[in-house]
Amino acid sequence: QVQLQESGPGLVKPSQTLSLTCSVSGDSVGSNSYYWSWIRQHPEKGLEWIGYVFYSGTTFYNASLRSRVTISLDTSKNQFSLKLDSVTAADTAVYYCARVQLRLTAPGNRAFDVWGQGTTVTVSS
Amino acid sequence: QSALTQPASVSGSPGQSITISCTGTSNDVGGYRFVSWYQQHPGKPPKLIIYEVSDRPSGVSNRFSGSKSGNTASLTISGLQAEDEADYYCSSYTSGSTFVFGGGTKVTV
């Protein structure tokens, strides 16, 4: 049973860097069968895809956030991380980490098949 | 990259069928079979209910079905039940190797 768990500060000051970690159990972030992704949801709003990292370290980001976001892997800890620079109140949201299945023969190909519970981040002074 | 277009809300009576549309472009919905749908209850993370346009993960009710025509994908919920009241989101893989979500649809039973 694969499980993802987000962790990090729940409160970040404006202009600072938001840093979150997703701990993965039951699977390996070093596997070439998945993308490891971050998604956020503003209060009472829809889902916004932030980006993903592949086992090789290759990353793809939402164009609207690309200049501020970094997603990276730590295979030794079986974790992946999100850093978002120069945050403002508009970055206040619930942040989810999720797995994207890449195996053609597995259910959920190119879909977010496993999600963390989400962590609320508030940007405020 | 613009979000996919979904109706803000759809409602139906118990036992009825409803359909939620998800409109994109040839660079996302129209160009790939990698359209997925998610159900989200309040305070919970989204749950995958449809992938690759019309496939259901194990354990998802067969009352949920998906289809696609051109740049528009659709989710149909048949035999509507009270527990189906939730927010529903579509998502698509894109030509830029990225993903995009729809704005979400609130289903009221």
Side-chain angles (χ1 to χ4, degrees):
Chain A
Q1 179 91 6
V2 181
Q3 291 187 316
L4 280 61
Q5 180 65 58
E6 306 88 350
S7 60
L11 181 64
V12 181
K13 287 182 167 51
S15 80
Q16 292 191 341
T17 296
L18 180 161
S19 295
L20 296 175
T21 296
C22 183
S23 298
V24 179
S25 59
D27 214 328
S28 171
V29 299
S31 169
N32 65 357
S33 297
Y34 314 106
Y35 294 147
W36 303 99
S37 189
W38 287 97
I39 295 151
R40 70 181 182 180
Q41 186 168 32
H42 296 103
E44 305 301 320
K45 298 290 186 182
L47 301 171
E48 180 181 28
W49 177 75
I50 298 172
Y52 65 75
V53 61
F54 194 34
Y55 83 104
S56 59
T58 298
T59 53
F60 280 87
Y61 301 128
N62 186 321
S64 67
L65 296 169
R66 185 177 296 136
S67 63
R68 299 194 292 133
V69 67
T70 302
I71 298 176
S72 59
L73 282 174
D74 186 336
T75 54
S76 66
K77 295 181 180 179
N78 211 33
Q79 297 175 336
F80 63 105
S81 299
L82 168 70
K83 290 188 186 302
L84 184 63
D85 297 328
S86 306
V87 298
T88 70
D91 295 309
T92 292
V94 175
Y95 285 76
Y96 294 100
C97 58
R99 187 184 79 171
V100 178
Q101 177 66 251
L102 297 178
R103 291 175 294 176
L104 296 177
T105 56
N109 187 17
R110 296 301 193 281
F112 302 95
D113 65 341
V114 181
W115 295 69
Q117 286 301 305
T119 187
T120 299
V121 178
T122 301
V123 178
S124 175
S125 56
Chain B
Q1 180 175 4
S2 299
L4 307 176
T5 301
Q6 296 181 234
S9 63
V10 174
S11 63
S13 301
Q16 286 186 331
S17 294
I18 61 169
T19 297
I20 303 168
S21 60
C22 169
T23 301
T25 70
S26 58
N27 292 322
D28 39 63
V29 174
Y32 300 90
R33 282 196 59 80
F34 301 130
V35 176
S36 51
W37 289 89
Y38 304 85
Q39 177 192 61
Q40 186 180 34
H41 287 108
K44 299 293 187 182
K47 172 189 174 184
L48 176 66
I49 56 173
I50 294 286
Y51 65 96
E52 287 192 75
V53 175
S54 59
D55 291 341
R56 280 186 308 276
S58 174
V60 173
S61 172
N62 59 8
R63 297 186 299 103
F64 294 95
S65 62
S67 62
K68 189 183 81 163
S69 177
N71 295 337
T72 298
S74 298
L75 172 72
T76 297
I77 309 175
S78 58
L80 206 57
Q81 298 180 1
E83 66 204 49
D84 300 331
E85 188 159 293
D87 294 326
Y88 292 82
Y89 295 90
C90 61
S91 176
S92 177
Y93 187 66
T94 81
S95 58
S97 299
T98 62
F99 290 87
V100 62
F101 283 99
T105 299
K106 182 176 181 62
V107 169
T108 301
V109 180

